[in-house]
Amino acid sequence: MKTMYIECNMGAAGDMLTAALLELCPKPEAMIDKLNMLNIPNVTYRLDRTVRRGITGTHVTVSVNGAVENGNMHHHKHIHVGLHDIEHIINTINVPRKVREDAAAVYKLIAEAESRVHGCKMTEIHFHEVGTMDAVADIVGVCMLMNEINPEKVIVSPIHVGSGTVRCAHGELPVPAPATALILRDVPVYGGSIRGELCTPTGAALLKYFADSFGEMPVMRVRSIGYGMGTKDFETANCVRILLGEAEDKTDKIIELKCNLDDMTGEAIGFAAGRLFDAGALDVYTVPIGMKKSRPGILLTCMCREEDRERMLEIIFRHTTTIGIREYICSRYVLDKKIKKISSNYGEIRVKESCGRGIKKIKAEYDDLEEAAIRNNISLTDIKLDL
């Protein structure tokens, strides 16, 4: 499985992620030219080779009307723009539809966090022009490069956010900045002795959006490595490292618990199956069988994880008439899956993406389709055609 591991030992920012991804491309200079040809209003990308603590990597500078965003400040005294303006810019850039959708979704994560921090609606949030266009350029760049590289799975390390405070237009704020902290909810993060902001809101949103999981690097055959360098100098090399390679397809072990039943009603068996699902069974199913004395019967099978075995055994014995249960230990090959929300003319729909072994499957969640069909008084087919 084509796997990307993003190492955030020194946090992450949009320009660092862009630079690291560029190093994974066969011709980084050609990709920079491609990004500049997108004609994002007044934005220019520049690629530079640089060294941090003896490590050679890439730094990407984004300029807006010739001005460069100051990494120590979040805001500038420039024209203000709203979320609608940003969405309009993203929708008019000449990139594949998926890149536009990804970029809009990432910026929405930032806008949602900012609106909660400031206690207002997303439509009331106004951003400063230079900082905003710098962020748009970083987000579009990363989304474009992720679309080009097209990993099947993205794993992100625990994120070093830094410590202390950071100065912005509102004064001194704690690290991580409030918006960054909101974006990184439910994500493994840590501080440490390094003073300063290591993970920006843009970096946090990009990682949160593209990560399939967070944790240690899996066993993988690394094919290429990218180093994206930051602008600040610390005792530790200030960079994001991205490793791209092949990881083993995911396998796990499951337990199959089986029993034969010939003296229970369908209602009673259905009730037992419901209790097993409620307790975390992976699947429960029945098969009609012939039993002794020519009695028709039911083979009940419960699939569960090893750690759930005892709980499932207790439920089967409690809610069925069986006095014996057979156990089988099985290896299971599974595709990696993640749930994303997509926009449609009938509202947001959750979509399950499963991938692995060079295969990608996409399926909308039935509950969302059903709810949208009832709310809009249309058929399931009409909704599916809109996705």
Side-chain angles (χ1 to χ4, degrees):
M1 176 184 295
K2 189 177 182 181
T3 301
M4 176 182 288
Y5 185 71
I6 305 178
E7 192 176 75
C8 302
N9 294 338
M10 289 297 288
D15 58 342
M16 296 166 73
L17 290 167
T18 303
L21 290 168
L22 278 168
E23 287 211 336
L24 299 179
C25 298
K27 297 180 179 179
E29 292 79 7
M31 279 305 305
I32 278 287
D33 292 340
K34 193 170 183 178
L35 290 175
N36 280 319
M37 290 174 64
L38 297 178
N39 293 322
I40 302 175
N42 306 315
V43 165
T44 303
Y45 296 86
R46 190 182 78 240
L47 181 153
D48 297 303
R49 300 292 287 170
T50 187
V51 178
R52 289 281 184 270
R53 299 298 171 185
I55 300 174
T56 301
T58 295
H59 174 68
V60 170
T61 299
V62 172
S63 59
V64 182
N65 285 321
V68 177
E69 170 78 345
N70 182 350
N72 296 317
M73 298 289 288
H74 285 275
H75 302 286
H76 295 256
K77 294 181 179 178
H78 285 71
I79 300 170
H80 289 190
V81 294
L83 183 60
H84 176 75
D85 301 307
I86 295 166
E87 290 174 341
H88 175 73
I89 292 168
I90 291 173
N91 287 330
T92 56
I93 297 172
N94 185 25
V95 293
R97 177 180 175 181
K98 185 178 186 307
V99 175
R100 284 198 299 271
E101 291 175 348
D102 288 343
V106 172
Y107 220 100
K108 187 178 179 181
L109 286 176
I110 300 172
E112 286 174 344
E114 293 283 0
S115 68
R116 290 197 58 182
V117 168
H118 297 297
C120 61
K121 297 178 181 179
M122 283 196 293
T123 53
E124 297 172 354
I125 290 288
H126 287 86
F127 304 92
H128 295 259
E129 186 188 35
V130 173
T132 296
M133 291 311 301
D134 179 83
V136 169
D138 288 340
I139 290 168
V140 172
V142 169
C143 292
M144 184 81 171
L145 289 163
M146 290 295 288
N147 189 61
E148 290 279 338
I149 298 168
N150 193 27
E152 294 176 276
K153 185 172 185 179
V154 178
I155 305 171
V156 177
S157 74
I159 302 168
H160 189 177
V161 295
S163 64
T165 60
V166 61
R167 178 172 292 278
C168 71
H170 301 283
E172 292 282 337
L173 296 179
V175 171
T180 304
L182 277 174
I183 294 168
L184 293 178
R185 283 180 305 174
D186 301 320
V187 171
V189 300
Y190 62 99
S193 60
I194 296 177
R195 308 288 289 181
E197 182 186 42
L198 298 183
C199 187
T200 66
T202 302
L206 287 164
L207 293 172
K208 183 76 172 283
Y209 180 75
F210 282 108
D212 295 304
S213 63
F214 293 85
E216 301 300 321
M217 186 173 74
V219 176
M220 58 188 290
R221 297 179 180 86
V222 177
R223 307 299 186 193
S224 54
I225 304 172
Y227 288 90
M229 299 305 192
T231 55
K232 299 177 184 177
D233 199 17
F234 298 102
E235 291 184 3
T236 302
N238 185 18
C239 66
V240 167
R241 181 165 69 170
I242 302 181
L243 299 95
L244 185 67
E246 297 292 326
E248 294 182 0
D249 290 318
K250 188 174 180 181
T251 64
D252 58 12
K253 287 187 177 180
I254 61 167
I255 303 296
E256 283 192 352
L257 302 174
K258 296 176 178 286
C259 63
N260 295 355
L261 306 167
D262 66 355
D263 55 352
M264 289 183 67
T265 64
E267 291 92 339
I269 293 174
F271 180 82
R275 305 293 71 71
L276 290 166
F277 276 122
D278 290 344
L282 299 172
D283 201 1
V284 182
Y285 60 92
T286 59
V287 177
I289 57 174
M291 297 178 62
K292 61 185 179 182
K293 300 181 181 179
S294 300
R295 294 174 183 169
I298 293 293
L299 170 62
L300 174 70
T301 301
C302 171
M303 296 169 55
C304 67
R305 299 177 179 87
E306 289 184 280
E307 60 267 27
D308 296 331
R309 175 198 287 114
E310 291 302 320
R311 183 161 66 251
M312 300 301 163
L313 287 171
E314 191 275 332
I315 292 172
I316 294 173
F317 279 126
R318 179 181 297 276
H319 295 294
T320 74
T321 56
T322 191
I323 57 174
I325 301 171
R326 303 179 299 279
E327 175 185 285
Y328 300 88
I329 300 177
C330 306
S331 293
R332 182 173 67 151
Y333 298 88
V334 296
L335 299 178
D336 285 295
K337 63 182 180 182
K338 60 182 176 182
I339 301 294
K340 287 189 175 182
K341 290 183 179 180
I342 63 173
S343 298
S344 75
N345 292 328
Y346 308 106
E348 283 194 339
I349 303 291
R350 289 175 300 162
V351 173
K352 181 189 296 180
E353 292 186 359
S354 304
C355 62
R357 298 176 178 269
I359 297 167
K360 186 172 184 179
K361 300 180 179 182
I362 301 176
K363 183 179 180 181
E365 291 290 292
Y366 174 79
D367 289 346
D368 287 12
L369 293 177
E370 180 186 47
E371 192 275 332
I374 293 172
R375 186 176 66 252
N376 293 280
N377 193 29
I378 57 175
S379 69
L380 290 174
T381 302
D382 288 336
I383 297 178
K384 289 179 180 179
L385 290 174
D386 183 59
L387 299 181

mmCIF file of all heavy atoms in Angstrom, residues 43 61-64 68-69 129-139 202:
data_model
loop_
_atom_site.group_PDB
_atom_site.id
_atom_site.type_symbol
_atom_site.label_atom_id
_atom_site.label_comp_id
_atom_site.label_asym_id
_atom_site.label_seq_id
_atom_site.Cartn_x
_atom_site.Cartn_y
_atom_site.Cartn_z
ATOM 1 N N VAL A 43 -0.148 35.991 -6.212
ATOM 2 C CA VAL A 43 0.692 35.053 -5.453
ATOM 3 C C VAL A 43 1.809 34.495 -6.331
ATOM 4 O O VAL A 43 1.587 34.139 -7.493
ATOM 5 C CB VAL A 43 -0.151 33.886 -4.893
ATOM 6 C CG1 VAL A 43 0.736 32.735 -4.427
ATOM 7 C CG2 VAL A 43 -1.011 34.373 -3.738
ATOM 8 N N THR A 61 8.967 29.892 -0.466
ATOM 9 C CA THR A 61 8.546 31.243 -0.096
ATOM 10 C C THR A 61 7.345 31.629 -0.938
ATOM 11 O O THR A 61 7.354 31.470 -2.167
ATOM 12 C CB THR A 61 9.681 32.257 -0.328
ATOM 13 O OG1 THR A 61 10.802 31.894 0.482
ATOM 14 C CG2 THR A 61 9.231 33.662 0.026
ATOM 15 N N VAL A 62 6.308 32.104 -0.272
ATOM 16 C CA VAL A 62 5.125 32.609 -0.968
ATOM 17 C C VAL A 62 5.078 34.113 -0.783
ATOM 18 O O VAL A 62 5.114 34.617 0.343
ATOM 19 C CB VAL A 62 3.838 31.967 -0.407
ATOM 20 C CG1 VAL A 62 2.606 32.648 -1.002
ATOM 21 C CG2 VAL A 62 3.811 30.479 -0.711
ATOM 22 N N SER A 63 5.029 34.849 -1.874
ATOM 23 C CA SER A 63 4.898 36.300 -1.793
ATOM 24 C C SER A 63 3.556 36.725 -2.369
ATOM 25 O O SER A 63 3.050 36.129 -3.325
ATOM 26 C CB SER A 63 6.042 36.992 -2.538
ATOM 27 O OG SER A 63 6.066 36.601 -3.901
ATOM 28 N N VAL A 64 2.969 37.738 -1.760
ATOM 29 C CA VAL A 64 1.683 38.290 -2.183
ATOM 30 C C VAL A 64 1.894 39.756 -2.520
ATOM 31 O O VAL A 64 2.246 40.561 -1.646
ATOM 32 C CB VAL A 64 0.619 38.138 -1.076
ATOM 33 C CG1 VAL A 64 -0.728 38.668 -1.563
ATOM 34 C CG2 VAL A 64 0.500 36.684 -0.629
ATOM 35 N N VAL A 68 6.099 39.302 1.722
ATOM 36 C CA VAL A 68 6.194 37.972 2.298
ATOM 37 C C VAL A 68 5.607 37.990 3.687
ATOM 38 O O VAL A 68 5.915 38.887 4.492
ATOM 39 C CB VAL A 68 7.664 37.492 2.351
ATOM 40 C CG1 VAL A 68 7.756 36.122 3.016
ATOM 41 C CG2 VAL A 68 8.240 37.449 0.945
ATOM 42 N N GLU A 69 4.753 37.004 4.006
ATOM 43 C CA GLU A 69 4.153 36.908 5.337
ATOM 44 C C GLU A 69 5.236 36.720 6.378
ATOM 45 O O GLU A 69 6.104 35.866 6.254
ATOM 46 C CB GLU A 69 3.177 35.719 5.376
ATOM 47 C CG GLU A 69 2.662 35.343 6.762
ATOM 48 C CD GLU A 69 1.570 36.281 7.252
ATOM 49 O OE1 GLU A 69 1.402 37.369 6.678
ATOM 50 O OE2 GLU A 69 0.891 35.921 8.227
ATOM 51 N N GLU A 129 -5.345 40.472 4.347
ATOM 52 C CA GLU A 129 -5.114 40.023 2.976
ATOM 53 C C GLU A 129 -3.813 39.258 2.780
ATOM 54 O O GLU A 129 -3.815 38.164 2.213
ATOM 55 C CB GLU A 129 -5.138 41.217 2.012
ATOM 56 C CG GLU A 129 -5.040 40.778 0.561
ATOM 57 C CD GLU A 129 -4.864 41.962 -0.377
ATOM 58 O OE1 GLU A 129 -4.192 42.930 0.007
ATOM 59 O OE2 GLU A 129 -5.396 41.886 -1.490
ATOM 60 N N VAL A 130 -2.674 39.798 3.247
ATOM 61 C CA VAL A 130 -1.397 39.129 2.986
ATOM 62 C C VAL A 130 -1.356 37.769 3.668
ATOM 63 O O VAL A 130 -1.029 36.746 3.067
ATOM 64 C CB VAL A 130 -0.217 40.011 3.449
ATOM 65 C CG1 VAL A 130 1.096 39.247 3.340
ATOM 66 C CG2 VAL A 130 -0.147 41.272 2.592
ATOM 67 N N GLY A 131 -1.703 37.725 4.969
ATOM 68 C CA GLY A 131 -1.695 36.457 5.684
ATOM 69 C C GLY A 131 -2.680 35.474 5.097
ATOM 70 O O GLY A 131 -2.412 34.275 5.015
ATOM 71 N N THR A 132 -3.848 35.962 4.666
ATOM 72 C CA THR A 132 -4.868 35.094 4.101
ATOM 73 C C THR A 132 -4.413 34.494 2.782
ATOM 74 O O THR A 132 -4.526 33.285 2.559
ATOM 75 C CB THR A 132 -6.177 35.875 3.890
ATOM 76 O OG1 THR A 132 -6.663 36.278 5.160
ATOM 77 C CG2 THR A 132 -7.211 35.002 3.207
ATOM 78 N N MET A 133 -3.897 35.297 1.878
ATOM 79 C CA MET A 133 -3.482 34.778 0.577
ATOM 80 C C MET A 133 -2.282 33.854 0.724
ATOM 81 O O MET A 133 -2.119 32.890 -0.024
ATOM 82 C CB MET A 133 -3.159 35.936 -0.375
ATOM 83 C CG MET A 133 -4.395 36.729 -0.784
ATOM 84 S SD MET A 133 -5.761 35.686 -1.359
ATOM 85 C CE MET A 133 -4.979 34.841 -2.735
ATOM 86 N N ASP A 134 -1.427 34.125 1.697
ATOM 87 C CA ASP A 134 -0.319 33.222 1.996
ATOM 88 C C ASP A 134 -0.860 31.862 2.408
ATOM 89 O O ASP A 134 -0.383 30.820 1.950
ATOM 90 C CB ASP A 134 0.531 33.827 3.121
ATOM 91 C CG ASP A 134 1.689 32.938 3.516
ATOM 92 O OD1 ASP A 134 2.727 33.000 2.835
ATOM 93 O OD2 ASP A 134 1.560 32.177 4.497
ATOM 94 N N ALA A 135 -1.887 31.851 3.272
ATOM 95 C CA ALA A 135 -2.492 30.595 3.711
ATOM 96 C C ALA A 135 -3.197 29.891 2.558
ATOM 97 O O ALA A 135 -3.095 28.660 2.408
ATOM 98 C CB ALA A 135 -3.474 30.858 4.854
ATOM 99 N N VAL A 136 -3.927 30.656 1.734
ATOM 100 C CA VAL A 136 -4.599 30.050 0.575
ATOM 101 C C VAL A 136 -3.576 29.392 -0.347
ATOM 102 O O VAL A 136 -3.779 28.280 -0.841
ATOM 103 C CB VAL A 136 -5.420 31.109 -0.189
ATOM 104 C CG1 VAL A 136 -5.884 30.552 -1.538
ATOM 105 C CG2 VAL A 136 -6.617 31.554 0.640
ATOM 106 N N ALA A 137 -2.466 30.080 -0.585
ATOM 107 C CA ALA A 137 -1.416 29.527 -1.447
ATOM 108 C C ALA A 137 -0.847 28.237 -0.864
ATOM 109 O O ALA A 137 -0.633 27.251 -1.584
ATOM 110 C CB ALA A 137 -0.300 30.558 -1.641
ATOM 111 N N ASP A 138 -0.597 28.227 0.458
ATOM 112 C CA ASP A 138 -0.083 27.017 1.095
ATOM 113 C C ASP A 138 -1.090 25.872 0.996
ATOM 114 O O ASP A 138 -0.733 24.733 0.687
ATOM 115 C CB ASP A 138 0.220 27.283 2.578
ATOM 116 C CG ASP A 138 1.450 28.151 2.777
ATOM 117 O OD1 ASP A 138 2.275 28.229 1.850
ATOM 118 O OD2 ASP A 138 1.579 28.752 3.860
ATOM 119 N N ILE A 139 -2.355 26.186 1.266
ATOM 120 C CA ILE A 139 -3.389 25.147 1.257
ATOM 121 C C ILE A 139 -3.587 24.589 -0.145
ATOM 122 O O ILE A 139 -3.628 23.373 -0.344
ATOM 123 C CB ILE A 139 -4.706 25.718 1.825
ATOM 124 C CG1 ILE A 139 -4.551 25.958 3.332
ATOM 125 C CG2 ILE A 139 -5.869 24.770 1.544
ATOM 126 C CD1 ILE A 139 -5.669 26.780 3.941
ATOM 127 N N THR A 202 -2.760 26.833 9.835
ATOM 128 C CA THR A 202 -2.775 26.248 8.489
ATOM 129 C C THR A 202 -2.165 24.852 8.494
ATOM 130 O O THR A 202 -2.732 23.906 7.926
ATOM 131 C CB THR A 202 -2.005 27.146 7.500
ATOM 132 O OG1 THR A 202 -2.596 28.435 7.484
ATOM 133 C CG2 THR A 202 -2.030 26.563 6.103
#
